[in-house]
Amino acid sequence: MDGTLRSRLLRVSAELDELLAAASIDTVSDSSLLNAIDRIGAARRLVDALGTAVSGEIAKRSAPGDEESLARRLGAKNPSHLVALRARLDPATATSWTTVGALTATRRSILGEKLPPAHPEVAAGLDLGDIDSASGRVIIATVDACSIAADQANLLEETLVRQAPSLTPRELTRLCREVIARYAPETGEEREAALRARSGLRIVQRPDGLTHIAIDTHPEAAGLILASIDARTAPRRIPRFATEGSEPVEDHDRRTLAQRRLDALVDVARDSVARDDGQLAGTSVSMVVTVPLETLVSGRGTASIAGIDEPISAATARRLAAVAEIIPAVLGTDSEVLDLGRSARLFSSAQRRAIALRDRGCAWGGCDAPPGWCEVAHIDAWYLGGRTDLCNGVLLCRFHHQLFDSGGWRLEWRDGVPWFIPPRWVDSSQTPRRGGRPRLAA
Ligand SMILES: [Zn+2]
């Protein structure tokens, strides 16, 4: 990162300061307001470019397989996970920053001489505040996908960076897709393999309470999924009866097509859950609903579904508790789950379920792994006399389980909250770090 990027940012913020110098924003003139929003856009791109440069350096110091890796030392899975935690970013932006940052950083030869970045034109565009890292990522992916000579690739990169500021992100993506179609012709099989590689299902818990599930499918999966939904959304003619002179019967199905498709998918999932015996992983195949006894009895308050952030109403919890394939877990007054305390080496499936309910996912601070990806770790190792009971078990994803077991970390419960104490070689002051999912007091 060179100093000009930082000085550009300082200049833009000084200009902003001048434009908005009036006592209150509602007294600023129209032209100052518009000039301000232009500069805020520029400042945002420059901050993004600065974040990209810094994240690229973090990525450089976190090479996979390196025992001294910066990300690993701090308990993060990879550099973008570390960047997301520290800068409080969504995972997509953090990934853009680290991947684009690594590809636009100055490189050094074995002799220590400075070498140009792998993608110099994108690097220059970021430095000038012309493009942001998201556009940079699209351009880099496009250039890399094309099978063209190096000088041609450079020309293409330069052209795309020059055009990007006048295009919306969507227009840029469309342009890049056209470029790929022209310069990277794939055979049918290659194309299918590429589509398969890009397929996936992403789950995002949105702040408004909706769970956003985005599915990108290759044609085969799309066909199967759509067929199972279509079979249940085909408009059915429900016979309606009306005696003469009576009010016309209301057509109650006023769901939109989108809502009917969702209901169909939920039906498919319900069938699948009903057919599974729940013995596979103890917690991952059954839907577990946690409800305080008080809520179940009074019908007031909320309950929760394992792995979903948004609470459900007492009424929904009561309804679900009556369904055979749902496992209701009733909590006592202090939210304690029945302790099975057995002197076995392995946690029983009932214990694993209870711990999954308590910890609701990997207990490591900042880790999002849901219960289905987690294992129950012994806090005091069983072979050192640690008991296999609930207070000696904690839910950790495979990565953090390994780190915890091998890295000399310790765990202390304080008021039901797990605190992780780093080994001296990670933090010489051994300051405890808070873990667990945030939970509202009763
Ligand atoms: Zn984890």
Side-chain angles (χ1 to χ4, degrees), residues 8-321:
R8 275 191 197 102
L9 186 58
L10 285 175
R11 199 179 59 227
V12 171
S13 55
E15 286 166 0
L16 262 175
D17 204 42
E18 209 165 290
L19 285 166
L20 301 176
S24 165
I25 212 161
D26 58 0
T27 61
V28 166
S29 71
D30 283 356
S31 71
S32 292
L33 209 55
L34 293 172
N35 281 329
I37 201 72
D38 289 345
R39 277 161 183 79
I40 287 165
R44 197 170 184 275
R45 284 189 299 277
L46 289 167
V47 167
D48 185 89
L50 210 49
T52 304
V54 171
S55 304
E57 185 59 31
I58 288 177
K60 215 190 278 176
R61 297 182 194 187
S62 306
D66 177 6
E67 277 304 307
E68 290 295 294
S69 146
L70 183 59
R72 200 180 156 79
R73 270 192 347 247
L74 288 157
K77 285 173 191 156
N78 49 47
S80 68
H81 184 218
L82 177 62
V83 167
L85 282 177
R86 299 295 293 233
R88 291 199 241 152
L89 291 176
D90 61 289
T93 308
T95 307
S96 267
W97 280 14
T98 39
T99 48
V100 175
L103 292 167
T104 53
T106 335
R107 296 174 291 177
R108 295 217 178 253
S109 71
I110 310 169
L111 300 172
E113 300 159 316
K114 269 193 172 186
L115 298 174
H119 287 277
E121 301 298 336
V122 170
L126 283 167
D127 251 15
L128 291 168
D130 286 344
I131 58 170
D132 63 7
S133 63
S135 303
R137 196 178 177 190
V138 172
I139 293 171
I140 287 173
T142 305
V143 173
D144 287 351
C146 293
S147 37
I148 47 179
D151 56 333
Q152 286 227 295
N154 212 53
L155 194 63
L156 173 64
E157 187 175 324
E158 194 212 315
T159 311
L160 290 173
V161 169
R162 205 179 47 234
Q163 296 216 19
S166 62
L167 303 173
T168 64
R170 198 155 170 198
E171 287 168 336
L172 176 65
T173 309
R174 203 175 298 144
L175 175 68
C176 285
R177 212 181 296 138
E178 280 169 26
V179 168
I180 291 176
R182 188 180 308 171
Y183 294 108
E186 301 156 312
T187 68
E189 265 172 45
E190 279 169 347
R191 177 157 177 77
E192 206 174 290
L195 289 177
R196 250 172 218 284
R198 283 169 48 208
S199 297
L201 184 152
R202 273 166 290 279
I203 301 170
V204 181
Q205 304 278 354
R206 289 207 314 217
D208 62 5
L210 288 174
T211 299
H212 180 73
I213 302 179
I215 310 180
D216 292 312
T217 76
H218 52 85
E220 188 189 333
L224 196 60
I225 294 169
L226 294 185
S228 73
I229 293 178
D230 285 349
R232 290 161 195 260
T233 48
R236 255 171 272 173
R237 288 269 156 252
I238 302 161
R240 287 182 289 175
F241 302 95
T243 50
E244 216 171 310
S246 69
E247 294 277 301
V249 176
E250 282 269 318
D251 183 359
H252 285 292
D253 196 355
R254 292 196 175 162
R255 296 172 301 168
T256 62
L257 180 59
Q259 287 165 338
R260 285 209 307 277
R261 281 193 192 124
L262 173 64
D263 289 347
L265 190 62
V266 171
D267 281 345
V268 171
R270 192 175 284 133
D271 282 358
S272 161
V273 170
R275 209 162 295 159
D276 212 301
D277 64 3
Q279 292 302 306
L280 282 180
T283 56
S284 55
V285 292
S286 308
M287 189 165 110
V288 181
V289 177
T290 312
V291 51
L293 182 62
E294 220 272 316
T295 301
L296 207 55
V297 173
S298 69
R300 284 190 303 270
T302 59
S304 63
I305 297 173
I308 307 289
D309 291 345
E310 181 75 3
I312 55 171
S313 71
T316 303
R318 279 174 159 180
R319 186 164 52 74
L320 290 176

Side-chain angles (χ1 to χ4, degrees), residues 77 362 364 367 369 396-397 400:
K77 285 173 191 156
C362 177
W364 198 277
C367 181
L396 292 176
C397 68
H400 285 126

